[in-house]
Amino acid sequence: MKLGTTDIEVSPIALGTWAMGGGDSWGESDPVLAVKTVHRALELGINFIDTAPAYGNGLSEQLLGDALAGKRHQAVLATKCGLVWGNDDEGSVHKSRDGVTIRRNLGKQSIIKQVEESLGRLKTDYIDLLLTHWQSIPPFHTPIEETIEVFELLKQQGKIRSYGACNVSLEELKEYQKFGTPSLVQERFSMLWRDKADLASYCAENRITFQAYSPLERGVLTGKAALSQNVVGTAKASVAWYKMENRPKVLTLLTSLETMADTYNTRVGNLVIAWTRQATGTMNVLCGARKPNQIEENSKAQDLVITAKDWAIIDSLARTLL
């Protein structure tokens, strides 16, 4: 599929590397497995890879830089800006984790510095897609016009090829459009999380790629086994469906999805990914993985097409939990 209105071709499923950063969010990371996962994704035709400086405070980007040595031309590489954690970094407080305070800063000079640091960790001289990770808030608020100005400058310099936004409201996206041409919007979206459904529809109408993150609800929708395992890391712990009181409802849904998956000779996780991919005309599905077998399993959803009737049945089953 095309990335927005650019001529950049990306796989409909992307590899997410948040978990590769480990830390409080995901638990300990395995660098060797992380690199192997990236290599396996490329072998399977998944060329779209997403990362961010804040994932593991630079570790995810470093691992991706190692993995893409000699293979950079095979990947469409997306990273982000706007979150900083240095002792001398200014910005509005975002959160604290892994012993540091994360701050939001989308000012011009900060973005220029952030991009140079990302290029160094990624061991590349250009980024295919640069995204604002979280939007600017007071007291260190930066107008979107200023952020777009530096994005356009970075494009002219050849350091980025395109840009977009994560965790953005419809009003903010329209502001991006007023001053520039965003190629992609990345938002949490799944059959059990529809808060940004209207934004997804708007993106489809305006030829902006909408990339769904956490489409499997961080493991919940991969199958019943996930709900029998211990929850490790704050990323999973923050998902309400892992709470004991919600598990019976999810298990009922998973039983129905298993029956549907059998008719397609696939597994529940792949059925869910395919359902998500077919939600709108510009949908891209971001699937996190840090082990080769995980991306191998997710990749099977690339060619899976659900009939319109079955899509609607799955939709109605999931809506009973919303």
Side-chain angles (χ1 to χ4, degrees):
M1 61 186 294
K2 294 287 188 183
L3 176 62
T5 56
T6 73
D7 60 358
I8 301 172
E9 296 270 357
V10 296
S11 49
I13 293 175
L15 170 62
T17 65
W18 180 17
M20 291 181 188
D24 292 343
S25 298
W26 290 98
E28 191 174 352
S29 178
D30 187 323
V32 174
L33 282 179
V35 170
K36 288 182 178 179
T37 302
V38 175
H39 291 172
R40 191 71 183 115
L42 294 174
E43 292 168 0
L44 293 165
I46 296 174
N47 75 329
F48 200 9
I49 304 177
D50 174 86
T51 187
Y55 297 166
N57 296 347
L59 179 58
S60 176
E61 284 189 331
Q62 290 170 8
L63 292 174
L64 195 47
D66 293 340
L68 291 178
K71 301 177 184 288
R72 175 67 183 90
H73 63 287
Q74 298 179 37
V76 176
L77 184 55
T79 193
K80 306 178 184 74
C81 64
L83 295 186
V84 294
W85 61 90
N87 290 333
D88 298 325
D89 283 320
E90 292 186 326
S92 304
V93 174
H94 178 63
K95 68 189 298 185
S96 293
R97 56 142 178 79
D98 298 311
V100 298
T101 298
I102 312 293
R103 300 178 186 277
R104 299 192 196 186
N105 192 326
L106 286 172
K108 182 176 180 179
Q109 293 308 315
S110 183
I111 289 177
I112 290 172
K113 178 174 177 281
Q114 292 172 50
V115 167
E116 288 304 318
E117 291 171 347
S118 287
L119 290 171
R121 286 189 290 260
L122 291 165
K123 300 181 179 65
T124 185
D125 56 4
Y126 71 98
I127 293 161
D128 296 291
L129 173 68
L130 182 64
L131 302 167
T132 51
H133 201 154
W134 286 87
Q135 301 310 302
S136 183
I137 55 174
F140 288 86
H141 180 261
T142 302
I144 288 173
E145 181 178 8
E146 181 180 329
T147 300
I148 294 293
E149 182 183 317
V150 69
F151 280 178
E152 291 291 349
L153 174 63
L154 291 166
K155 273 186 72 174
Q156 293 170 16
Q157 294 173 343
K159 293 183 178 179
I160 68 172
R161 296 176 67 195
S162 61
Y163 55 82
C166 307
N167 306 300
V168 66
S169 68
L170 178 56
E171 292 71 26
E172 287 167 334
L173 177 57
K174 288 179 178 179
E175 192 79 357
Y176 275 81
Q177 290 178 290
K178 180 179 177 181
F179 298 107
T181 309
S183 298
L184 179 143
V185 166
Q186 186 187 105
E187 296 288 338
R188 183 174 177 181
F189 179 89
S190 76
M191 61 174 63
L192 296 181
W193 186 282
R194 313 284 187 92
D195 291 15
K196 293 297 181 76
D198 289 346
L199 186 60
S201 297
Y202 179 84
C203 285
E205 294 166 1
N206 287 270
R207 297 177 65 197
I208 298 170
T209 301
F210 184 95
Q211 187 174 61
Y213 73 75
S214 298
L216 295 169
E217 286 298 309
R218 299 173 195 175
V220 170
L221 294 174
T222 57
K224 293 179 180 178
L227 293 178
S228 64
Q229 299 166 356
N230 291 330
V231 176
V232 177
T234 57
K236 285 189 175 182
S238 67
V239 176
W241 303 111
Y242 276 113
K243 292 181 179 179
M244 296 307 296
E245 63 267 28
N246 291 330
R247 292 189 185 197
K249 292 182 284 187
V250 179
L251 288 169
T252 299
L253 171 64
L254 291 172
T255 298
S256 299
L257 293 180
E258 283 176 353
T259 302
M260 181 74 77
D262 287 342
T263 67
Y264 284 91
N265 193 30
T266 191
R267 293 187 180 183
V268 169
N270 290 323
L271 186 76
V272 172
I273 293 170
W275 180 93
T276 308
R277 185 165 50 82
Q278 291 175 224
T280 71
T282 62
M283 182 70 72
N284 188 277
V285 188
L286 182 60
C287 298
R290 55 176 173 174
K291 297 177 182 178
N293 67 301
Q294 293 171 337
I295 197 62
E296 285 172 359
E297 181 60 30
N298 292 341
S299 72
K300 296 173 185 175
Q302 289 190 105
D303 301 317
L304 178 60
V305 178
I306 303 171
T307 66
K309 179 182 177 182
D310 287 342
W311 192 97
I313 291 172
I314 295 170
D315 183 52
S316 63
L317 288 170
R319 283 185 182 277
T320 63
L321 275 71
L322 297 179

